[in-house]
């Protein structure tokens, strides 16, 4: 067992839970804080099944400063990995204040507690959305951010990045790593963990999963007239286990000041390619129909992941085929049947 405990906020969520498993399997002692708004407490038992230990769990909302202080009073953490936050893009456009209050308010409380209790190491879950629209396909960490962001969710990520930079500037002992995720997809190879949102999904893979199991009648493909090889949008889909391992690598390379890394595969796959890969892995045909473009979608972008490779020694290992096989395995473990059209 490694020395010291790590607090993972949002640790029962999709990316958080996969990261907790990787951390525990690498010998870290992890505690989870989550308000279970978009995740389920059963995830803790699944983590226990995979790692042999059920992590200590705090059902706490980051906006509850008093409850949060109690968590920090109990334990001297060596680091915090901060996933907790609201993340539905369309909802953030409809309810901006709720997003700012939750994501910014929660993060500020967390940072205040960290300061009060002398915890000076944080990894933050950011998003490629902070790049906004750029005249480039491969996004590099040195590009300007915080311009042309199309929704309040994206703004909260960008603003939290700024808050972290300011906190680190004010206290030179602070160690901040910002990880900008591209499009996380897939599930744990055991079939025990995967994306299982409580709310209505709006990202591609959760919708594909619901179409496959018959909960949604068909997939709407948002546009086939983009300037891409097959006309559908291109994204950098990254397997969630690769992404989780990126956090482990980041934790092992923390240093004073702020470091920022893209976590992506560096490869683009189109929406049509994703559907074809799902069909091949499932042996069925996913019902889908091309419809008009979705407002705010960019034609194509992917990560330049070379900085993470160079400085963290991290690169992705899993393919789109792995993503689809693991997703199907997860659905089967959940007792769901793949229907599709034969
Ligand atoms: C979206 C958010 C981004 C956020 C990320 C989190 C927007 C504009 N961007 O990225 O800020 O960080 O999710 O994972 O919402 N698609 C379909 N049919 C569907 C759903 C999606 O064709 O039913 C297409 C989309 O047009 C897009 C691709 O699939 O081209 C990926 O969509 P999605 O999974 O929502 O991710 P992003 O839009 O890339």
């Amino acid at each position: 067992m490694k020395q010291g405990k790590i607090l993972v906020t949002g640790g029962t969520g999709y990316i958080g839970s996969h990261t907790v498993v990787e951390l525990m399997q690498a010998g870290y002692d992890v505690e989870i804080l989550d308000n279970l708004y978009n995740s389920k407490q059963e995830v803790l038992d699944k983590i226990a099944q995979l790692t042999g230990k059920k992590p200590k769990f705090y059902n706490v909302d980051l906006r509850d400063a008093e409850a949060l202080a109690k968590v920090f009073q109990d334990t001297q953490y060596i680091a915090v990995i901060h996933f907790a936050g609201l993340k539905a893009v369309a909802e953030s456009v409809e309810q901006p204040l709720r997003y700012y209050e939750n994501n910014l308010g929660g993060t500020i409380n967390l940072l205040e507690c960290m300061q009060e209790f002398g915890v000076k190491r944080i990894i933050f879950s950011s998003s490629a959305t902070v790049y906004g629209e750029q005249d480039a396909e491969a996004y590099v960490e040195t590009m300007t951010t915080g311009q042309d962001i199309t929704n309040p969710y994206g703004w909260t990520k960008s603003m939290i990045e700024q808050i972290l930079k300011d906190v680190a500037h004010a206290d030179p002992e602070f160690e901040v790593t910002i990880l900008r995720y591209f499009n996380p997809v897939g599930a744990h190879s055991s079939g025990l963990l995967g994306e299982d949102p409580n709310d209505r999904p709006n990202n591609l893979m959760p919708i594909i999963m619901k179409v496959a199991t018959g909960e949604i009648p068909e997939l709407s493909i948002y546009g086939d007239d983009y300037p891409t090889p097959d006309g559908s949008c291109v994204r950098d889909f990254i397997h969630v286990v690769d992404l989780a391992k990126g956090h482990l690598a980041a934790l092992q390379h923390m240093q004073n000041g702020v470091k920022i890394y893209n976590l992506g595969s560096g490869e683009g796959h189109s929406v049509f390619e994703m559907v074809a890969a799902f069909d091949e892995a499932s042996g069925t045909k996913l019902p889908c129909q091309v419809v008009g473009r979705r407002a705010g979608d960019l034609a194509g972008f992917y990560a330049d992941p070379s900085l993470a490779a160079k400085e963290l020694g991290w690169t992705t290992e899993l393919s789109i085929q792995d993503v689809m096989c693991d997703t199907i395995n997860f659905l089967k473990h959940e007792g769901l049947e793949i229907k599709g059209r034969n």
Side-chain angles (χ1 to χ4, degrees), residues 62 65 68-69 72 105-119 122 163 167 174:
L62 285 176
L68 189 60
F72 278 81
T107 303
I108 290 169
N109 277 350
L110 177 65
L111 288 166
E112 278 176 348
C113 252
M114 289 177 65
Q115 268 182 344
E116 191 183 337
F117 291 93
V119 182
I122 183 167
I163 291 170
V167 167
F174 237 84

Side-chain angles (χ1 to χ4, degrees), residues 25-87:
Q25 286 177 341
Y28 285 98
D29 195 352
V30 177
E31 297 190 354
I32 293 178
L33 179 149
D34 203 301
N35 67 359
L36 299 175
Y37 170 73
N38 200 20
S39 60
K40 299 183 176 78
Q41 196 154 350
E42 293 91 87
V43 165
L44 297 169
D45 300 318
K46 312 260 177 82
I47 293 172
Q49 254 177 281
L50 289 167
T51 63
K53 189 184 165 198
K54 193 164 168 173
K56 183 163 184 183
F57 175 65
Y58 295 94
N59 185 346
V60 166
D61 191 305
L62 285 176
R63 291 167 301 169
D64 183 346
E66 229 171 275
L68 189 60
K70 285 208 183 94
V71 174
F72 278 81
Q73 251 155 25
D74 277 4
T75 308
Q76 185 64 35
Y77 297 106
I78 56 160
V80 173
I81 306 186
H82 178 33
F83 293 98
L86 298 174
K87 64 173 184 111

Side-chain angles (χ1 to χ4, degrees), residues 10 17 35 42 65 89 95 126 162 183 191 221 237 245 265 315:
S17 59
N35 67 359
E42 293 91 87
V89 172
Q95 305 169 27
S126 190
Q162 187 59 46
N183 289 60
I221 295 180
F237 295 98
K245 288 181 177 162
S265 70
T315 50

